[in-house]
């Protein structure tokens, strides 16, 4: 487009509004400028085209035949400009697929939050990848990662969620049959449900104000899936060390009892849970609403 033509765009818009409103005064009110400024813009357009577009009198303003032809194109120009802003609304609306990776132990709590999110944002799709391996966000094309770490990796934006801790627990039926351990050393006489690929050589470590104690545990059942360990514990198969967020509801409902309440479990997969994402994804509307939603549901000061 020629430079002179670009300079005429405001004049074309002013002319279209004048035709639509029927007067310079009404057009000036709509455009937020003086009536004389609108008149000058229309006159400038007429000079550039070497055409008279409006028939003016003291009583009325009327578009002539040439003006009507020019108006049809100027009106299309206004429509296109309004369409740009309509398109902007579409572009900022959250939409598309979000790929999220998280540890298996968080599958329950995160999955429970998704129905509400998906109802709230009908144009956003979610794919979860629950894996205990810390997948690379870039090479695996992951939008958002949930990680348990003391410090987020360099190069990623990190937002805190909550402190991940563990609780030793057993079902009321198991305790009624086998008794309550009062010290970590008592676990040697109990069936312990281990969250691991296998239970060979598994050690649990505990600490309280006075001492630290480590014990080799054994049991008839183990699994690398926290949900499976929870179900086994609820089914009276033994004593388990479960993420507090996973066992909390069952403890509140007295389907599980906390064991050794004066001791803290010391082990892996503990610390602060973070939301991690690449800086270049910060402007993504779908990611922004997901991050804000998860923080609103999960963030707690600790």
């Amino acid at each position: 487009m020629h430079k002179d033509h670009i300079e005429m765009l405001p004049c074309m818009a002013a002319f279209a509004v004048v035709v639509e409103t029927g007067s310079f005064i009404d057009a000036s009110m709509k455009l937020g400028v003086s009536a004389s400024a609108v008149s000058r813009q229309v006159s400038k357009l007429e000079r550039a085209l070497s055409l008279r577009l409006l028939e003016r009198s003291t009583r009325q303003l009327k578009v002539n035949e040439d003006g009507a032809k020019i108006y049809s194109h100027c009106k299309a120009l206004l429509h296109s400009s309004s369409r740009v802003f309509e398109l902007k609304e579409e572009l900022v609306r959250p939409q598309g697929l979000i790929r999220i990776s998280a540890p298996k132990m968080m599958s329950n709590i995160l999955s429970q939050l998704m129905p509400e999110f998906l109802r709230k944002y009908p144009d956003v799709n979610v794919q979860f990848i629950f894996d205990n391996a810390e997948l690379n966000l870039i090479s695996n094309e992951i939008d958002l990662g949930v990680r348990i770490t003391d410090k987020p990796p360099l190069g990623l934006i990190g937002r805190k969620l909550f402190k991940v801790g563990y609780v030793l627990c057993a079902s009321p039926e198991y305790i009624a049959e086998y008794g309550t351990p009062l010290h970590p050393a008592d676990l040697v006489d109990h069936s312990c449900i281990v969250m691991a690929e296998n239970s060979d050589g598994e050690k649990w470590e505990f600490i309280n104000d006075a001492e630290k104690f480590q014990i080799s545990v054994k049991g008839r059942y183990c699994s690398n899936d926290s949900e499976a360990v929870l179900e086994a514990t609820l089914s009276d198969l033994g004593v388990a060390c479960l993420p507090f967020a996973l066992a909390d509801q069952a403890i509140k409902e007295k389907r599980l009892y906390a064991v050794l309440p004066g001791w803290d479990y010391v082990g892996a997969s503990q610390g602060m849970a973070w939301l991690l994402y690449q800086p270049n994804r910060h402007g993504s509307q779908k990611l922004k609403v997901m991050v804000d939603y998860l923080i609103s549901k999960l963030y707690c000061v600790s």
Side-chain angles (χ1 to χ4, degrees), residues 104 132 194-200 202 222-224:
K104 289 181 178 179
N132 290 331
V194 175
M195 196 184 309
E197 298 292 339
N198 62 73
S199 59
D200 295 342
E202 182 70 17
C222 71
S223 173
N224 65 351

Side-chain angles (χ1 to χ4, degrees), residues 50-113:
S50 299
L51 291 172
R52 189 172 183 82
L53 305 176
L54 296 171
E55 302 300 330
R56 302 168 174 84
S57 70
T58 55
R59 293 188 175 183
Q60 64 178 353
L61 192 68
K62 185 178 180 181
V63 64
N64 59 28
E65 184 177 352
D66 290 335
K69 293 178 181 177
I70 297 298
Y71 166 69
S72 65
H73 293 284
C74 293
K75 181 180 180 181
L77 175 67
L78 284 182
H79 176 74
S80 295
S81 65
S82 64
R83 179 62 186 141
V84 168
F85 287 92
E86 292 172 4
L87 184 60
K88 176 250 183 184
E89 293 300 320
E90 294 178 10
L91 293 175
V92 300
R93 185 176 69 245
Q95 56 186 312
L97 174 66
I98 302 178
R99 283 168 49 85
I100 305 172
S101 72
K104 289 181 178 179
M105 59 176 284
M106 293 188 180
S107 61
N108 186 54
I109 188 170
L110 291 174
S111 297
Q112 287 179 359
L113 296 176

Side-chain angles (χ1 to χ4, degrees), residues 137 143-145 152-160 274-283 287 291:
L137 301 190
D143 299 292
L144 185 63
L154 292 176
L156 296 177
I157 295 176
R159 303 287 299 276
K160 286 183 179 180
W274 294 77
L275 290 176
L276 303 176
Y277 53 94
Q278 301 172 56
N280 60 2
R281 303 289 179 95
H282 185 66
L287 185 61
V291 169

Side-chain angles (χ1 to χ4, degrees), residues 22-228:
S23 76
F24 288 117
I25 293 176
D26 290 341
S28 70
M29 294 175 64
K30 192 168 185 178
L31 294 170
V33 296
S34 66
S36 59
V38 176
S39 179
R40 286 194 297 272
Q41 285 181 306
V42 173
S43 296
K44 184 177 180 180
L45 178 62
E46 288 178 322
R47 288 195 299 273
L49 296 173
S50 299
L51 291 172
R52 189 172 183 82
L53 305 176
L54 296 171
E55 302 300 330
R56 302 168 174 84
S57 70
T58 55
R59 293 188 175 183
Q60 64 178 353
L61 192 68
K62 185 178 180 181
V63 64
N64 59 28
E65 184 177 352
D66 290 335
K69 293 178 181 177
I70 297 298
Y71 166 69
S72 65
H73 293 284
C74 293
K75 181 180 180 181
L77 175 67
L78 284 182
H79 176 74
S80 295
S81 65
S82 64
R83 179 62 186 141
V84 168
F85 287 92
E86 292 172 4
L87 184 60
K88 176 250 183 184
E89 293 300 320
E90 294 178 10
L91 293 175
V92 300
R93 185 176 69 245
Q95 56 186 312
L97 174 66
I98 302 178
R99 283 168 49 85
I100 305 172
S101 72
K104 289 181 178 179
M105 59 176 284
M106 293 188 180
S107 61
N108 186 54
I109 188 170
L110 291 174
S111 297
Q112 287 179 359
L113 296 176
M114 286 306 102
E116 179 183 344
F117 177 86
L118 294 172
R119 285 192 296 269
K120 189 173 183 180
Y121 300 102
D123 296 319
V124 178
N125 300 327
V126 178
Q127 178 187 357
F128 268 115
I129 305 165
F130 292 113
D131 198 317
N132 290 331
E134 295 190 0
L135 301 179
N136 184 283
L137 301 190
I138 299 174
S139 60
N140 290 281
E141 298 183 344
I142 293 170
D143 299 292
L144 185 63
V146 182
R147 301 286 184 269
I148 302 169
T149 179
D150 293 329
K151 187 177 181 181
L154 292 176
L156 296 177
I157 295 176
R159 303 287 299 276
K160 286 183 179 180
L161 286 180
F162 56 89
K163 194 82 170 179
V164 177
Y166 281 69
V167 58
L168 195 68
C169 51
S171 69
E173 290 78 7
Y174 177 88
I175 289 175
E177 183 172 353
Y178 297 99
T180 303
L182 302 177
H183 187 277
D186 297 338
L187 293 174
V188 72
D189 298 321
H190 286 267
S191 177
C192 295
I193 306 171
V194 175
M195 196 184 309
E197 298 292 339
N198 62 73
S199 59
D200 295 342
E202 182 70 17
K203 290 180 171 59
W204 285 353
E205 186 173 334
F206 300 89
I207 189 170
N208 65 10
D209 294 336
E211 64 175 311
K212 181 184 289 187
F213 193 92
Q214 187 180 84
I215 183 170
S216 295
V217 297
K218 62 183 186 299
R220 299 179 58 205
Y221 183 87
C222 71
S223 173
N224 65 351
D225 181 74
S226 57
E227 290 284 342

